Every structure is written in structure tokens, then in C-alpha cells.
Amino acid sequence: MLFWILVAVLTAAVAVILLYPLLRGARAVEDTRAGEAAVYRDQLRELDRDLAGGLISAEEADYARAEIGRRLITVSVAPITDRKVTKHHRLSEAFVLLMLPVVGLCLYILVGRPDLPSQPLEARLENPGNDMAILVAKAERHLAQNPDDGRGWEVLAPIYFNTMRVAEAETAYRNAIRLLGPSAARLDGLAETLMATSNGVVTEDARKVLEQSLQLQPDNPKASFYLALGMEQAGQAAEAKAAFEALAKQSPADAPWMQLVAEHIAKNGGQSPGGAGQAPGNPTQADVASAESMNTGDRQQMIQGMVESLDAKLTEDPNNLEGWLRLVRSYVVLKDKDRAVGALKRALAAFPAGSEQGKRLLALARELDIATEGMTE
């Protein structure tokens, strides 16, 4: 019953909002005409005073009185012609009052569930379905009643992390580790949470957690990568390069993280075995030798193909600053300014203009005389 009361109240409120301009418009017209009539009557009285005071002659007074009277009559009879407008407003008001609830009710019958009984919070918690918010609320209520349920904390921790509730994620990971004991997965999750709190920086606390994870699982690629990243962030290029190269050696060649590892190896002055560290789009020695034996047209076509290949790889994996820099420069060299501008926009979508990477992209744009209006917001 409460639902239908709310529906009626909302319908009435919408009707008032729609009718207000019609009602206000009619009153405004009537007020305007009444004001005009009052002005003309004041002019007649003032005319009589001027005549009595000898300011105007009787002939002038008669002429002016006739003109003012004509205008007054025009204003006085005007409301009779406005009855059509008033009638039109009445029809509009009736249409709104009748059609609004009828249309709303028909739509509700088509897409709504009038037969569905109301469900209080208790019932929704018992049958949450696929509602993630209800599932989280149910888990939180369970943990409030059973704070020593380590499995519950372990399930809730990554959900908190993925929804950017970083503080709650850290608490959940620490509770899971305290109750269930440390494991590589739990420690890695806690380390990532600590890094998220520090905007991606591998802090001292995160480093200790990662080292503990690596002790439990020496071939843990995630912990190894983050530890190497921490060395890179600390300015230890040689140590970082060695750590990334060690990770590359122990990883399968088709591991999904190998491309990122190769980029960091190149960034720190090295190259991984088998050319894995070569950035996408760069020519190999065989490509260079083949290009030297080509004519100009074939060479241009080969370069175009390599640039398009780099473009496609950056579309799949945009987190590659060096690749974007090469792509923008390549399009400028190929005299394709439009695609250079497009590549710059896509690069700035991956690396915002306010970041260090974004500033490098904008600096390159200035160097290549590429307009950046609207890209720095």
C-alpha cells in the first residue's frame, strides 16, 4: 500500500510541475491587461486635470480623450478573444492530469512487477542473487558476528581492493593472514593494497611483505616483479635490470607479463634473452638488412607496415609510453599529421597530461609542432 501512495504523490508532483507554466501564463496575461486598463484610466483622469487647469484646450482634450478611450475599449474587450486560449489551456491541463497517470500505469504494468511482494533488508540478504552490494553487506554482517572467520576475510579482501576500498582491503588481508597464516597469494594481495595506498610506489612495508611472499614461494613472478620495480623506483637501475632479467629467465616465453618485463629491462639499460626486451615496432637486424636491398617504394611500404603493427599492439596494450612516443614520431615522419594527432590523443588517454609520462608526450608534441589544444584538460 505504501508503494501506491508514493506513486500517487510522485504523479501529483510531476503534474503540478507540468501545469505550473500553463497556470502561470494565463495569470500573467490577465495581470498585464488589467495593468494596461488602469494606466489608460489614469491618463483620462490626468487629462481632466490638465483641462481644468487650462493646460490644454477643450478641442485637444476631446481628441486625446477619444484616443485614450479607444485604447481602453480595446484592452477591455481583449479577454473575450482570449477565451480560446483559456479553453486551450484547460484542454492541456486535462490532458496532463489524465494521460500522465494512465501512461505511467501502463508502462509499469508492461515492465514492472506489481505482483512482487516487498522485500525488507533481511529477506534481500538471505537471497542476494547477483547483487554485489548485497553480497558484500551480507559478508560484512557475517564477519561482524564472526570476526575470527579467516575465510570470510580472505573472500572479502579482493572485493574491497577491486572496488577501490583500499583501507578496508588492507584490514581484510591482515585479518586473513592473522587467522589463516601467511601465503603467497595473501601476502601479494596485501602488498598490492599497500602500493595502491601509496599511488603505485613500492614502500618499505610493501617490500617486506613481498620478500616474505618470495620466501614462501621462490618462483613467485608477482613478488619478483614488484621487488624489481621497487629497485627501479629507488634509482637502482643495475639491480633492477638484474632482477627483471632473472624474472625473464625463470618465466615461460609466452607468459602474459613478459612484455612488461621486457620493457622494464630495456628501460634500465638491458635486453632480455631472445630479443624479448625489444620494444614492439622496432626493426630487427634482419629487417634492417632486408630494407637495405629494397627499392624506395618497397621500403616505404615496409615502414608503413611496421608502424601499423606498432599501432595495433598499442591498441591492445596501451600501457607502453616508449611505444606511443615512437608511434607519434613515426606518423610525423610519414607525413600523416592526422594519425599523429590521433595517436597522441590515445596516448594521453593512457597517460594523463598531468603525469610525468603525459608531460613527455606533450613535450614531444611541441617538438614536432603538433597542436595540443583540448588535450591538456
Side-chain angles (χ1 to χ4, degrees), residues 121-139:
L121 178 61
E122 189 71 24
R124 294 200 301 272
L125 289 176
E126 290 298 326
N127 299 287
N130 294 324
D131 192 328
M132 182 58 66
I134 297 297
L135 289 171
V136 171
K138 184 176 181 180

Side-chain angles (χ1 to χ4, degrees), residues 54-70:
L55 298 176
I56 60 175
S57 65
E59 185 180 353
E60 291 174 337
D62 290 339
Y63 178 80
R65 187 179 290 108
E67 179 63 22
I68 295 172
R70 184 185 64 79

Side-chain angles (χ1 to χ4, degrees), residues 56-108:
I56 60 175
S57 65
E59 185 180 353
E60 291 174 337
D62 290 339
Y63 178 80
R65 187 179 290 108
E67 179 63 22
I68 295 172
R70 184 185 64 79
R71 295 179 182 180
L72 180 58
I73 291 172
T74 302
V75 171
S76 299
V77 300
I80 297 175
T81 62
D82 288 334
R83 287 174 183 172
K84 293 182 180 179
V85 177
T86 303
K87 183 179 180 181
H88 176 70
H89 284 177
R90 292 288 180 266
L91 292 175
S92 300
E93 294 165 7
F95 178 80
V96 170
L97 290 174
L98 292 176
M99 293 304 297
L100 182 65
V102 170
V103 172
L105 183 61
C106 291
L107 288 175
Y108 178 70

